[in-house]
């Protein structure tokens, strides 16, 4: 039987996801400037106050799924076998993340990419990337293997750049290679030994 806390947690997660989906859908239809927090709350069927309990602003609501994915990625790296070297751990965690996530269709991804060029979203994305780099570097150092902090940051930044590059190439390319394969291909070309 489900406990009250578990039920409450699931309900909060469902509300957060509903707000994220409403924000994303409205922004893709109208452009970010054409959407208000009130619009998002109305579409999700909640009050403005409820929206504020979950997100500080519409940009945070739009980027929610990205932030969830990055949290999963950090956990996957953290939980890799201790004996695994840093770069193989990053690659394996990334492969596992892509196996668990559905790959968006190219048209939707293209619309999302256009939306994300909005200055207020770009600023938050850059901040999120710095946070992810810092978190990945900390996990790599904590895993041992004598990896110094400076090298861990360089490795995390290189890893994230390769993943971003693969995503752009997949989106703008002919589509003849699945996204997870393209990501792994680029990561294999950078394998530091």
């Amino acid at each position: 039987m489900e406990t009250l806390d578990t039920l409450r947690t699931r309900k909060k997660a469902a509300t957060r996801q509903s707000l994220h989906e409403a924000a994303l859908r409205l922004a893709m239809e109208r452009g970010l400037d054409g959407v208000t927090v009130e619009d998002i709350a109305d579409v999700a069927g909640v009050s403005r106050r409820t929206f504020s309990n979950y997100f500080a602003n519409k940009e945070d609501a739009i980027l929610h799924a990205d932030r969830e994915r990055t949290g999963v990625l950090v956990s996957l790296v953290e939980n890799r076998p201790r004996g695994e070297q840093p770069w193989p751990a990053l690659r394996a965690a990334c492969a596992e993340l892509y196996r668990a996530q559905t790959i968006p269709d190219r048209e939707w991804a293209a619309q999302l990419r256009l939306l994300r060029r909005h200055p207020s979203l770009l600023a938050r994305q850059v901040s999120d990337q710095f946070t992810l780099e810092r978190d990945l570097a900390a996990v790599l150092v904590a895993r041992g293997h004598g990896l110094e902090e400076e090298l861990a940051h360089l490795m995390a930044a290189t890893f994230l750049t390769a993943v971003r590059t693969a995503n752009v190439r997949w989106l703008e390319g002919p589509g003849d290679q699945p996204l997870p394969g393209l990501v792994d291909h680029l990561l294999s070309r950078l394998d530091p030994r």
Side-chain angles (χ1 to χ4, degrees), residues 4 38 73 76 83 113 128 151-152 185:
L4 188 56
E38 288 77 14
L73 177 61
L76 288 170
R113 182 170 295 286
D128 289 352
L151 185 55
H185 169 72

Side-chain angles (χ1 to χ4, degrees), residues 75-93:
S75 293
L76 288 170
V77 173
E78 198 168 32
N79 292 316
R80 295 297 306 160
R82 284 286 173 204
E84 193 172 40
Q85 292 295 314
W87 192 257
L90 287 168
R91 283 184 65 192

Side-chain angles (χ1 to χ4, degrees), residues 70 124-134 160 164:
T70 61
R124 282 183 171 73
Q125 286 177 290
V126 168
S127 174
D128 289 352
Q129 283 295 306
F130 282 125
T131 300
L132 177 57
E133 180 185 316
R134 182 199 64 219
L160 293 173
R164 235 182 352 266

Side-chain angles (χ1 to χ4, degrees), residues 18 20 27 107 112 126 146:
S18 176
H20 161 68
E107 183 177 325
L112 186 58
V126 168

Side-chain angles (χ1 to χ4, degrees), residues 9 12-18 20-21 54-55 59-76 97 100-101 116 128-129 131-132 135:
T9 300
K12 285 181 178 183
T15 301
R16 183 174 282 113
Q17 184 64 26
S18 176
H20 161 68
E21 289 171 4
Y54 290 91
F55 299 109
E59 291 85 358
D60 286 345
I62 288 169
L63 294 173
H64 168 68
D66 288 349
R67 291 173 176 166
E68 289 289 305
R69 263 189 306 281
T70 61
V72 169
L73 177 61
V74 170
S75 293
L76 288 170
L97 178 70
Q101 301 280 323
R116 290 181 180 198
D128 289 352
Q129 283 295 306
T131 300
L132 177 57
D135 293 349

